[in-house]
Amino acid sequence: MSTSPSPSRPGPHVETRETQEVSATALGPWPGTDPVEAAKVSLGLFTAPHLPSLADLPARGIGSDAIGRTAGILVELPVDVQPYGWRFVDRPGNDHRRAVSALSTDINVLADVAGAEDLQPAALKLHLTGPLTLAAAIHLHYGERALRDYGARRDVAQSLAAGLVAHVQKVKAAVPGAELTLQIDEPEVARALAGTIPTVSGYRTLRSIPASELRHSWTEFVSAARNAGFARVAINLSNPLRGQISATSSLESEVAETRSWRTALELALESGIDAVALPLNNLDTGHWEQLAGALESGVGVWAGTVPVRTGELPPSYSALVERIMRPWQGLGLPAALLNRLRITPETGLAAVSPQEARAILNRTLEVAGALTELRHA
């Protein structure tokens, strides 16, 4: 499959809608199986300047998980489910149709809720699994991960880019006039760069992906997203899929993955994105220095600030604000740049209860409000 040549890589777009305030958003996954509730919470809580999103509900099962949901928009690459996971097949079957139907339902429900509740958003975020993580999770006909084969990796990226066009059209019809942001979830990027993702047999690991290939793939995909109609694009480097792709753990692999995660951050910031999303608990001083340079150049940071823990209340907003302001002030960043932050939970919310999810989202809004006050102090 081929795509038209992309234009030269655009620079980041400063998020002008949030020039004065620190904003908040969720990363996408929502607990339970009720898309109406998910849409009401997202559109109701995240009013401007905050960013509502099209939530997904993994608890609904096959086709509503992160991989199946994204695979449903691929062009000319149908999938089904095998005991070892998602697999590319010759023609669409029930599993593929379930994935397409679930996403279509969510979009239709979003339109209904926005209309009935008078909650038409000025902006909306969509999230999809990125091309590299998708290739790591979907298997070829003979059973090995698509990540193993360069041609398969290229085909997955191009198919996903082509699928963005129809996806954007459907969402724009549901929420007319909404400015769209794309969140590209790449939780497996560090392991792919480090070469620690296991083969299907589990006896070996797949060869590491060259950094130059990832830079090219991300840059092309970001450009394709803009051409499809997304006003802004973010790459999410948090790890919500950890555990779905099992790996033998060792100190050596952990060190390699930590080093590769830093490389992934560098590559993301070079790919023409408007923002990078990442959990603050992953960051050391070196990471913060990378982010300081990005913020000063106009790239936004979606700061995964609020922990997501089953059975636990989130920490106080003042403690979470301190978690941001200590390194911020240590690097000498001016308060005027705080508006380039967007506060999020550390991960998706599918693993907690709906009540816990609401408490976590409310805390993101409180943190954003407190940082806005500091910016204007």
Side-chain angles (χ1 to χ4, degrees):
M1 141 175 264
S2 63
T3 57
S4 58
S6 62
S8 59
R9 181 172 71 86
H13 297 265
V14 177
E15 300 194 52
T16 55
R17 193 181 300 277
E18 290 80 50
T19 53
Q20 299 301 316
E21 298 182 59
V22 181
S23 62
T25 192
L27 294 178
W30 183 258
T33 60
D34 185 354
V36 174
E37 178 193 31
K40 286 182 177 180
V41 170
S42 184
L43 295 177
L45 279 182
F46 293 115
T47 56
H50 309 295
L51 184 61
S53 58
L54 178 65
D56 66 279
L57 302 158
R60 290 183 299 193
I62 292 173
S64 293
D65 60 291
I67 301 304
R69 184 179 180 86
T70 300
I73 77 164
L74 293 173
V75 174
E76 298 178 0
L77 288 178
V79 293
D80 72 2
V81 175
Q82 295 296 311
Y84 49 78
W86 287 94
R87 177 190 67 168
F88 291 118
V89 292
D90 293 329
R91 59 185 61 87
N94 288 336
D95 298 328
H96 188 274
R97 284 189 284 270
R98 286 179 66 179
V100 172
S101 176
L103 181 55
S104 180
T105 295
D106 292 344
I107 294 172
N108 291 337
V109 166
L110 180 75
D112 292 342
V113 170
E117 304 286 332
D118 195 22
L119 292 171
Q120 289 290 344
L124 183 76
K125 177 171 65 67
L126 312 181
H127 68 283
L128 296 170
T129 301
L132 185 137
T133 297
L134 205 61
I138 304 181
H139 301 255
L140 301 172
H141 291 270
Y142 60 85
E144 193 50 82
R145 304 181 196 281
L147 189 70
R148 180 176 184 173
D149 180 82
Y150 169 75
R153 297 195 297 269
R154 179 196 59 212
D155 288 347
V156 169
Q158 292 182 348
S159 176
L160 185 57
L164 291 177
V165 177
H167 187 43
V168 165
Q169 290 173 348
K170 292 175 184 177
V171 175
K172 284 191 171 182
V175 284
E179 185 178 77
L180 299 184
T181 293
L182 177 63
Q183 172 188 311
I184 304 167
D185 295 332
E186 287 284 22
E188 287 299 324
V189 63
R191 295 206 298 161
L193 287 172
T196 57
I197 293 178
T199 59
V200 172
S201 69
Y203 294 116
R204 295 182 296 109
T205 57
L206 298 177
R207 182 176 300 176
S208 61
I209 303 302
S212 58
E213 179 187 330
L214 179 60
R215 179 188 293 108
H216 177 77
S217 178
W218 273 353
T219 301
E220 290 290 296
F221 192 69
V222 169
S223 178
R226 296 197 194 285
N227 290 338
F230 287 99
R232 295 179 176 83
V233 183
I235 291 179
N236 175 22
L237 298 179
S238 64
N239 206 0
L241 300 186
R242 175 62 73 187
Q244 289 192 18
I245 303 177
S246 61
T248 54
S249 178
S250 68
L251 179 59
E252 182 180 359
S253 65
E254 289 178 6
V255 170
E257 289 170 22
T258 299
R259 187 183 305 117
S260 294
W261 195 85
R262 188 185 300 275
T263 300
L265 177 55
E266 293 173 358
L267 297 176
L269 294 174
E270 294 171 359
S271 64
I273 56 173
D274 301 286
V276 61
L278 66 185
L280 297 187
N281 62 8
N282 274 12
L283 304 185
D284 59 23
T285 301
H287 295 132
W288 272 104
E289 290 173 348
Q290 285 178 279
L291 294 179
L295 287 160
E296 290 170 341
S297 69
V299 177
V301 173
W302 295 7
T305 305
V306 185
V308 179
R309 305 282 187 272
T310 302
E312 295 183 18
L313 292 173
S316 68
Y317 78 87
S318 59
L320 296 173
V321 168
E322 177 66 17
R323 189 179 184 186
I324 293 170
M325 292 308 298
R326 184 182 296 113
W328 192 275
Q329 293 170 336
L331 289 168
L333 286 167
L337 289 183
L338 284 169
N339 66 310
R340 293 183 185 168
L341 289 180
R342 198 185 290 278
I343 307 303
T344 77
E346 288 181 347
T347 68
L349 302 172
V352 299
S353 70
Q355 294 75 21
E356 290 170 329
R358 288 191 193 90
I360 290 166
L361 294 185
N362 282 326
R363 189 69 86 233
T364 68
L365 294 167
E366 291 172 353
V367 172
L371 290 171
T372 296
E373 291 182 6
L374 287 175
R375 183 175 184 270
H376 294 301

